């Protein structure tokens, strides 16, 4: 288990995250995240700190195993254990799945870190669009 004993990270102005507006209708994608690298232990604490409080405590994260660098089975983020899972399914190639018991599941499009800003912006906007 990887530990990060620092206090919770405040949402960083450099966090590249766009979330779809809240609605009662389930969506296939709930927004987009554009990490700065494929180093999940380095990127995940900032992502989790930037999520809405209403999402609750994320206890489980699933990413594409072929895309992300090696990851531990779990890590401590802001003094909370988060289980990390890898999948190799083609449908999850560019997504991250976040689970919070009793609150829900959120699927975010992951924009590859090396994507240019010009290419990333329309992808993030489309993923956060409030239109079905």
């Amino acid at each position: 288990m990887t530990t990060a004993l620092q206090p919770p990270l405040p949402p960083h102005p450099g966090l590249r995250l766009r979330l779809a507006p809240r609605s009662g209708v389930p969506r296939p994608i709930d927004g987009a995240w554009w990490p700065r690298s494929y180093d999940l232990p380095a990127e995940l604490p900032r992502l989790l700190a930037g999520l809405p409080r209403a999402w609750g405590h994320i206890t489980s994260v699933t990413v594409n195993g072929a895309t992300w660098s090696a990851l531990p089975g779990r890590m401590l983020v802001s003094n909370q254990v988060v289980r990390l899972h890898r999948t190799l399914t083609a449908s999850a190639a560019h997504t991250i799945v976040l689970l919070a018991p009793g609150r829900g599941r959120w699927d975010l499009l992951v924009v590859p870190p090396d994507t240019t800003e010009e290419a990333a912006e329309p992808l993030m906007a489309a993923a956060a669009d409030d239109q079905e």
Side-chain angles (χ1 to χ4, degrees):
M1 175 159 73
T2 302
T3 53
L5 296 176
Q6 74 276 8
L9 296 170
H12 187 272
L15 177 63
R16 302 183 296 189
L17 175 69
R18 292 239 186 111
L19 301 175
R22 292 180 63 167
S23 72
V25 179
R27 302 174 48 97
I29 293 292
D30 299 294
W33 176 45
W34 183 20
R36 300 191 183 278
S37 74
Y38 280 118
D39 180 359
L40 194 62
E43 298 287 343
L44 188 61
R46 189 157 318 280
L47 171 64
L48 296 184
L51 295 176
R53 288 189 184 269
W55 286 21
H57 170 64
I58 302 298
T59 61
S60 178
V61 173
T62 302
V63 295
N64 182 284
T67 304
W68 292 87
S69 58
L71 30 125
R74 59 188 175 179
M75 63 185 278
L76 195 61
V77 178
S78 300
N79 299 320
Q80 305 260 350
V81 175
V82 178
R83 296 194 183 285
L84 306 176
H85 306 277
R86 299 168 74 94
T87 183
L88 296 175
T89 60
S91 63
H94 297 290
T95 61
I96 183 169
V97 178
L98 309 170
L99 296 173
R103 296 287 179 107
R105 167 188 167 147
W106 296 272
D107 293 37
L108 300 178
L109 171 74
V110 176
V111 177
D114 58 353
T115 304
T116 65
E117 186 170 348
E118 182 179 40
E121 280 301 317
L123 292 171
M124 295 186 70
D129 191 356
D130 64 352
Q131 310 240 335
E132 297 296 314

